[in-house]
């Protein structure tokens, strides 16, 4: 799900993906000069590079395991292998988001409407177009979502269809100008094996994070080895993620220790 929230347009060269960030910088409109000519300027162009890393997942089952098990084992192998790769893509994007330094507080707090407003205000003060709701995202833990579900404003938010620039249509909860997604593998979250006392949740604009997938290198091989009598399913992908604009991401530390299992 996280890949649909990122910039995916990159120039892949070998094992590197190059993302272009372009803006006008701090330019302001000018009047004509004393010579009657309009002053010219150059755009502010920044290239961000990330390393493309090759990842694999290989599932192997013998004839005995396939014949003695219920269900379509070939399909199961393919589905679980793709799930492992998708999990790897999400982990790469989360690692890139973890590099953000904008934070409402250095102390973890319980989720609240005020905390969301604080994060949104930081983005607005950084001149992020927070009115561009189609490209504003919030990725939060199940505990963050759980606390907010107890507030009438969030619990009654309408579900809407959001069509990212690439990929299939996704369903998000849109609330307070963000498209919300719940993710159980955020850093330090209970679902990712952390303590839950200081989960790292994110509010960001799409242009702030890039994810590159070398599409020509994607492999989904399924086959059968007659010599050893086993079937295999292998998925291979080359991916990389990078933080493009730190000003466009707010990292919110959330205290989810109250919802940890006992």
């Amino acid at each position: 799900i996280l890949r649909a929230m990122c910039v995916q347009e990159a120039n892949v060269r070998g094992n590197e993906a190059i993302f272009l960030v372009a803006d006008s910088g701090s330019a302001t409109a000018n009047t004509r000069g004393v010579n009657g000519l309009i002053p010219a300027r150059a755009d502010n162009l920044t290239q961000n590079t990330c390393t493309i890393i090759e990842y694999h997942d290989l599932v192997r089952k013998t004839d005995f395991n396939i014949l003695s098990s219920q269900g379509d084992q070939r399909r199961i192998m393919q589905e679980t292998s793709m799930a492992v790769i998708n999990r790897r893509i999400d982990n790469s994007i989360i690692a890139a988001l973890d590099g953000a330094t904008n934070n409402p507080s250095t102390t973890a707090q319980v989720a609240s409407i005020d905390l969301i407003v604080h994060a949104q205000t930081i983005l607005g003060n950084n001149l992020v177009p927070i009115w561009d709701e189609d490209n504003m995202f919030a990725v939060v833990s199940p505990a963050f979502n759980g606390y907010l579900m107890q507030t009438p404003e969030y619990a009654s938010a309408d579900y809407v269809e959001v069509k990212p620039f690439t990929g299939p249509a996704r369903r998000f909860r849109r609330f307070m100008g963000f498209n919300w997604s719940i993710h159980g593998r955020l850093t330090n979250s209970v679902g990712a094996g952390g303590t839950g006392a200081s989960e790292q949740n994110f509010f960001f604009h799409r242009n702030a994070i890039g994810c590159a997938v070398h599409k020509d290198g994607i492999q989904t091989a399924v086959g059968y080895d007659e010599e050893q009598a086993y079937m295999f399913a292998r998925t291979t992908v080359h991916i990389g993620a990078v933080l493009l604009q730190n000003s466009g991401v707010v990292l919110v530390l959330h205290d989810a220790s109250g919802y940890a299992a006992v």
Side-chain angles (χ1 to χ4, degrees):
I1 187 78
L2 297 188
R3 185 181 168 214
M5 304 178 185
C6 303
V7 173
Q8 298 180 50
E9 181 182 352
N11 186 3
V12 178
R13 298 178 181 176
N15 67 338
E16 291 185 337
I18 303 172
F19 294 88
L20 176 64
V21 177
D23 58 40
S24 62
S26 57
T28 58
N30 296 303
T31 60
R32 290 183 181 272
V34 293
N35 58 0
L37 299 179
I38 299 173
R41 65 169 181 84
D43 281 327
N44 180 37
L45 305 178
T46 304
Q47 291 185 326
N48 296 268
T49 302
C50 70
T51 301
I52 300 293
I53 301 176
E54 181 183 53
Y55 291 101
H56 308 271
D57 182 66
L58 175 62
V59 191
R60 186 179 293 161
K61 292 182 180 179
T62 65
D63 274 353
F64 176 80
N65 289 332
I66 291 177
L67 294 175
S68 62
S69 302
Q70 295 178 331
D72 185 349
Q73 293 300 312
R74 176 171 175 161
R75 175 183 56 81
I76 292 172
M77 286 193 300
Q78 291 176 285
E79 289 179 350
T80 59
S81 182
M82 196 65 242
V84 169
I85 293 299
N86 285 333
R87 198 154 53 237
R88 176 66 259 178
I89 294 174
D90 273 12
N91 288 346
S92 297
I93 295 171
I94 291 171
L97 288 169
D98 282 341
T101 59
N102 295 307
N103 198 314
S105 173
T106 57
T107 303
Q109 305 176 42
V110 171
S112 65
I113 299 298
D114 182 68
L115 192 58
I116 302 170
V117 172
H118 196 163
Q120 188 180 52
T121 301
I122 292 174
L123 292 173
N125 289 341
N126 287 344
L127 303 182
V128 175
I130 56 177
W131 58 86
D132 184 17
E133 295 187 358
D134 286 345
N135 292 304
M136 299 297 298
F137 296 96
V139 179
V140 300
S141 69
F144 197 109
N145 179 73
Y147 278 111
L148 288 183
M149 284 298 292
Q150 299 174 62
T151 64
E153 299 89 347
Y154 180 80
S156 61
D158 294 331
Y159 280 93
V160 297
E161 286 291 336
V162 177
K163 295 182 179 179
F165 292 142
T166 58
R170 301 282 187 179
R171 184 177 291 272
F172 297 98
R173 177 190 290 271
R174 179 170 291 186
F175 176 65
M176 289 189 65
F178 294 98
N179 301 289
W180 292 71
S181 176
I182 305 169
H183 205 294
R185 299 183 62 82
L186 299 179
T187 302
N188 295 329
S189 70
V190 176
T195 63
S198 186
E199 298 178 334
Q200 298 185 182
N201 297 254
F202 305 98
F203 296 81
F204 61 97
H205 190 280
R206 182 195 304 276
N207 290 344
I209 184 76
C211 178
V213 177
H214 184 36
K215 297 180 181 179
D216 293 338
I218 296 176
Q219 299 178 22
T220 54
V222 179
Y224 182 79
D225 186 288
E226 296 183 352
E227 180 181 8
Q228 298 296 328
Y230 66 77
M231 180 169 286
F232 69 88
R234 175 179 59 81
T235 304
T236 296
V237 68
H238 302 73
I239 60 174
V242 61
L243 183 65
L244 300 177
Q245 300 182 80
N246 182 62
S247 60
V249 182
V250 172
L251 188 157
V252 174
L253 297 177
H254 179 244
D255 183 3
S257 56
Y259 279 168
V262 297

